[in-house]
Amino acid sequence: MTSASLFASLVASHWRRLALAILAGGLSAAGTILLLHRVNDAIARDFALPAGFVAGFLAIAAVTFAARAASDLATNAAGQAVVADLRARLARRIIDAPVPALEGWGRNRILPVLNHDVDMISDVAFVAAPLAISAITVIGAFAYLIWLSPALSAAVILVLAAGGWLQYRARRRAVRGFDEAREGEDRLHAAYATITGGAKELKIYKPRREKIHGDILATIADIRRINGRAIAIFVIANALGSALVFAVIGVLLAWAAFSPEDPAVYSGFLILLLFLRGPVEQIMTSMPAITRMQIALRRIDELSGRFATAEPAAAASAAMPAEPAEIRLDGLAFAFPATEDGPGFRLGPLDLGFAPGRITMIVGDNGSGKTTLIKLLLGLYRPDAGRIIVGGQAVDDVTRDAYRQMFSAILTDYHLFDEVMPGAGIGDDELHAHLDRLRLGTKVDVANGRFSTTDLSTGQRKRLALIHAWVDRRPVVVFDEWTADQDPGFRHVFHTELLPALKAEGRTLIVISHDDRYFDTADRIIRMKDGRVTEMVDLTTPRRDG
């Protein structure tokens, strides 16, 4: 879908409101032209006005202004609806997008589209009615001029066409500048994410802090320079548009010297051309915003196209075992292709099983494939080969979303929600008990299932995430380096109290860990290297000495 077809699709969804706005705008423009014709007629009559002239003029004016108000209101309603529809579409695309597509695109590219680009379309949508009325007025005015004098209108149109061509060339050059500035805004957004997310690191590393600040200032200067140059081009083009009106009046005066016409023709041309300065200038001053909207539409279309391939919708009848069941990986394999930044990576094939009521620890060096295995196990990645089997039922595209609902997971890049799921049947008393158990009772309060704050230390945030996992009561819980940010005392609590308590509930527990002091608390240890399982130790099987 191109940016033009995306815009057409949005318009088609709200054509009734837009049609009303256009019809009312057309009526307003026609009324304006008729009022100007009446003024010209009054001048031609030397103000010897017939009976009812003023009353008719006032009636036309009332209808014109009412139509203008109706057009503005309809456009506002249509603009609100279009922007709301666009936001809903983009949110749905992102929610339905496969995780690898989201990871490949990157948050720093998604958020500017959702914020900056959608807002740009919103801004243009709310000036669309005045702009449309101006355009219709200009068209209607030239139709009236052609009616007055086709030959003189042809000369006027010729001069305006020459000026319009120069404006078109200038506009194309300015568009390239706005495109370049928009790329700079992406870089600036990424830099803002760096100085907010890395504030502590930057405080203790002055050279990097100063470098990033310098980069930000340079990016800001680039955006300012590029936008300033592009807008200057538009300003010059607009000034040319204003000058064209007087150039046309000069043509009118020259025409009068060599080809006498009825004075009513010249007065009509002068009144219309002087009046058209307002509508023409409104159109010209709107061109930078329209150009930015076109760029925004291209960015939105790019994002929408990137996430166009949604995951298969889960069928209404798709279901997986609600009770704990064994999960088996049968020849599971997945590969990241090689890129310019580095070689590819292949995981598997893997044949593993995870049984209810058992703790499995997955260990290995960084880059060994532990996190990739977890994302496959969670159903976030679609395997290139092999199957996941749950209770004898293979997971496929139809059942994958239902399969995911078996899991609670606290990943290294987890998102912490500030409320438990409404309707889950979890009372505040139970949540308070969990907060006290995890030593958060003095830091966090809870009311109606919502936590009072998530502004906590990294370790405390992970404890709050553990409460979510606990009360969700999913049969499988995954921890990815959960203890890495806990103090030694709470690591001990996690391995000797919390995991056994979850195990006693019959849950399947999968723990990625580097903490070898607590390996003996697991039922099984899986060691990975280079995407393969190199060792698997079952600690529940008695060992024989000798």
Side-chain angles (χ1 to χ4, degrees):
M1 180 180 286
T2 64
S3 58
S5 59
L6 173 63
F7 182 75
S9 172
L10 290 170
V11 169
S13 300
H14 307 281
W15 67 270
R16 289 183 178 84
R17 288 192 181 98
L18 291 169
L20 175 60
I22 292 170
L23 287 174
L27 180 59
S28 173
T32 302
I33 302 302
L34 185 55
L35 288 172
L36 293 172
H37 170 68
R38 286 263 179 161
V39 171
N40 187 45
D41 189 33
I43 294 172
R45 293 171 181 270
D46 200 20
F47 295 99
L49 305 179
F53 186 94
V54 174
F57 185 91
L58 293 176
I60 295 171
V63 172
T64 299
F65 295 137
R68 173 63 183 263
S71 179
D72 285 348
L73 290 172
T75 302
N76 179 59
Q80 293 278 9
V82 165
V83 171
D85 185 17
L86 180 59
R87 285 173 171 154
R89 290 189 190 193
L90 291 176
R92 187 75 260 174
R93 282 288 175 93
I94 293 171
I95 288 172
D96 291 344
V99 169
L102 292 169
E103 292 177 340
W105 191 254
R107 180 179 179 183
N108 289 334
R109 296 181 68 186
I110 293 174
L111 290 181
V113 173
L114 296 178
N115 296 322
H116 179 276
D117 291 326
V118 173
D119 286 345
M120 180 59 62
I121 292 173
S122 174
D123 292 342
V124 173
F126 300 136
V127 299
L131 192 61
I133 291 173
S134 295
I136 295 171
T137 301
V138 170
I139 295 170
F142 275 100
Y144 177 66
L145 294 178
I146 292 171
W147 177 76
L148 284 175
S149 174
L152 183 54
S153 296
V156 169
I157 291 172
L158 184 64
V159 173
L160 292 176
W165 180 81
L166 292 174
Q167 287 184 314
Y168 169 75
R169 296 283 298 179
R171 182 173 177 271
R172 286 193 61 184
R173 184 175 177 183
V175 167
R176 290 195 294 270
F178 285 137
D179 262 328
E180 189 177 348
R182 181 61 182 76
E183 293 173 0
E185 286 166 2
D186 279 349
R187 296 195 302 274
L188 188 61
H189 190 278
Y192 286 157
T194 298
I195 62 175
T196 53
K200 296 184 292 296
E201 290 79 4
L202 294 176
K203 289 293 184 185
I204 62 175
Y205 198 163
K206 185 175 181 180
R208 184 180 295 280
R209 182 173 75 234
E210 296 303 320
K211 178 185 182 303
I212 290 177
H213 184 229
D215 291 344
I216 289 174
L217 293 180
T219 302
I220 291 172
D222 284 344
I223 294 172
R224 177 184 178 184
R225 174 179 54 81
I226 296 165
N227 270 335
R229 183 178 61 201
I231 292 174
I233 292 171
F234 270 115
V235 169
I236 293 171
N238 292 344
L240 176 62
S242 297
L244 277 175
V245 174
F246 294 101
V248 169
I249 292 175
V251 170
L252 184 64
L253 295 174
W255 188 281
F258 295 100
S259 180
E261 294 263 9
D262 184 347
V265 171
Y266 292 116
S267 64
F269 266 78
L270 283 171
I271 291 171
L272 263 295
L273 290 172
L274 289 173
F275 170 77
L276 285 177
R277 281 197 63 190
V280 169
E281 285 185 1
Q282 183 170 31
I283 294 171
M284 291 298 106
T285 54
S286 298
M287 294 311 293
I290 292 173
T291 300
R292 288 194 181 103
M293 184 195 73
Q294 292 173 326
I295 295 170
L297 279 171
R298 285 203 298 270
R299 293 282 180 160
I300 291 170
D301 173 60
E302 187 181 5
L303 183 146
S304 186
R306 176 82 176 195
F307 302 146
T309 304
E311 291 187 326
S317 60
M320 297 300 293
E323 298 300 324
E326 183 181 23
I327 300 173
R328 294 205 57 81
L329 311 185
D330 183 12
L332 206 68
F334 181 83
F336 290 105
T339 64
E340 295 179 357
D341 299 327
F345 177 81
R346 180 173 179 80
L347 178 79
L350 301 177
D351 295 286
L352 296 170
F354 301 92
R358 287 172 62 88
I359 301 173
T360 299
M361 285 193 181
I362 302 176
V363 303
D365 296 333
N366 292 334
S368 61
K370 302 185 301 296
T371 299
T372 302
L373 168 59
I374 290 301
K375 289 181 178 180
L376 280 166
L377 182 64
L378 291 171
L380 300 178
Y381 288 176
R382 188 175 186 274
D384 296 330
R387 301 180 302 168
I388 299 176
I389 301 172
V390 184
Q393 180 182 350
V395 177
D396 56 20
D397 288 341
V398 174
T399 58
R400 184 167 287 109
D401 190 59
Y403 164 74
R404 293 188 192 120
Q405 310 317 305
M406 298 171 57
F407 292 87
S408 290
I410 306 175
L411 305 176
T412 53
D413 56 350
Y414 70 100
H415 178 83
L416 180 59
F417 297 94
D418 65 355
E419 65 174 339
V420 298
M421 273 300 297
I426 308 300
D428 289 349
D429 290 342
E430 181 179 349
L431 293 173
H432 275 118
H434 283 297
L435 288 170
D436 292 338
R437 184 177 194 177
L438 297 178
R439 303 176 189 171
L440 294 173
T442 60
K443 301 282 186 179
V444 182
D445 197 6
V446 63
N448 299 319
R450 184 180 295 273
F451 297 113
S452 60
T453 183
T454 59
D455 187 15
L456 304 165
S457 69
T458 304
Q460 290 168 342
R461 285 172 57 84
K462 283 189 173 182
R463 294 184 211 172
L464 203 58
L466 176 54
I467 294 178
H468 280 285
W470 207 303
V471 301
D472 282 344
R473 298 191 173 99
R474 303 288 178 91
V476 187
V477 186
V478 175
F479 299 94
D480 190 352
E481 299 288 359
W482 190 89
T483 61
D485 300 294
Q486 307 298 330
D487 59 69
F490 211 85
R491 290 184 189 181
H492 182 77
V493 170
F494 175 75
H495 284 286
T496 62
E497 297 181 23
L498 302 181
L499 286 182
L502 288 167
K503 176 181 175 180
E505 294 179 3
R507 306 209 204 188
T508 304
L509 303 174
I510 302 168
V511 182
I512 293 179
S513 178
H514 285 100
D515 199 343
D516 55 8
R517 290 172 296 178
Y518 295 100
F519 284 177
D520 60 349
T521 62
D523 296 303
R524 183 178 54 161
I525 296 176
I526 297 173
R527 190 174 300 277
M528 298 189 66
K529 183 178 180 180
D530 298 330
R532 293 183 177 274
V533 174
T534 59
E535 183 182 15
M536 189 156 47
V537 179
D538 188 344
L539 300 180
T540 62
T541 302
R543 295 186 179 181
R544 294 183 180 180
D545 297 330

